[in-house]
Amino acid sequence: MPVLGPETPDERELREWLEKQKRGNIERLETSAQTIIQLVTGLYGVLFAVLALSDQPAYLEQPVVQWAGTVGVGAFFATLVMALFVLLPRRVSYETDNLGEMQAVYQGLLGRKAVLLQIAQGCFLIGMAALVVVILAILWQG
């Protein structure tokens, strides 16, 4: 049970730090989504460079390269879509004099962005794994 009494400087500092972290959550989620978009854009270039060469090398006929390439392209596309959904503005409405409703709207917005970013991260990992499989299949072709 918490002790009642005046707030100590350490407690005040901790409370203020936690409030600052809370205020920055949505901004950090959106910054993370932007970073993922930049990474995927670059990795799309790598994947397409490996898969879409004009002279059609023999490794493109390997089923593992075809399947992993398809999975990679799809996963990176899903990553971009989910990351963009994190960044898209969304209209929210609430009563300005109802702090409980404002908190619920904030928690809903934060939760939605966090879930979408987690899905984007999962898709990104799948895309990276597919890219690694494509590259390894090319290196090990015999």
Side-chain angles (χ1 to χ4, degrees):
M1 176 156 210
V3 178
L4 298 178
E7 186 175 59
T8 67
D10 287 342
E11 291 170 339
R12 184 179 325 106
E13 183 178 333
L14 177 61
R15 183 181 46 78
E16 289 171 355
W17 182 82
L18 288 171
E19 286 298 319
K20 182 180 176 187
Q21 296 305 308
K22 180 180 172 183
R23 283 191 296 273
N25 279 341
I26 289 180
E27 183 178 318
R28 280 191 297 277
L29 288 171
E30 290 176 349
T31 300
S32 298
Q34 291 170 346
T35 301
I36 286 175
I37 290 169
Q38 292 167 349
L39 286 170
V40 168
T41 303
L43 289 172
Y44 252 147
V46 171
L47 187 58
F48 284 133
V50 171
L51 295 177
L53 298 174
S54 60
D55 60 354
Q56 295 297 311
Y59 66 76
L60 286 179
E61 295 177 14
Q62 295 179 19
V64 68
V65 172
Q66 293 172 351
W67 278 100
T70 301
V71 168
V73 169
F76 283 148
F77 182 73
T79 301
L80 282 174
V81 170
M82 292 299 113
L84 286 172
F85 281 156
V86 171
L87 297 176
L88 286 175
R90 186 173 179 184
R91 179 181 291 267
V92 294
S93 60
Y94 53 86
E95 294 180 32
T96 56
D97 60 348
N98 186 338
L99 290 178
E101 185 180 353
M102 290 170 65
Q103 179 69 14
V105 167
Y106 170 77
Q107 290 299 328
L109 183 64
L110 184 64
R112 181 183 68 86
K113 287 179 181 282
V115 166
L116 289 170
L117 188 59
Q118 288 172 344
I119 294 169
Q121 289 170 338
C123 292
F124 180 78
L125 290 175
I126 292 168
M128 285 297 297
L131 179 59
V132 168
V133 168
V134 167
I135 291 170
L136 290 177
I138 292 168
L139 291 175
W140 290 344
Q141 75 177 344

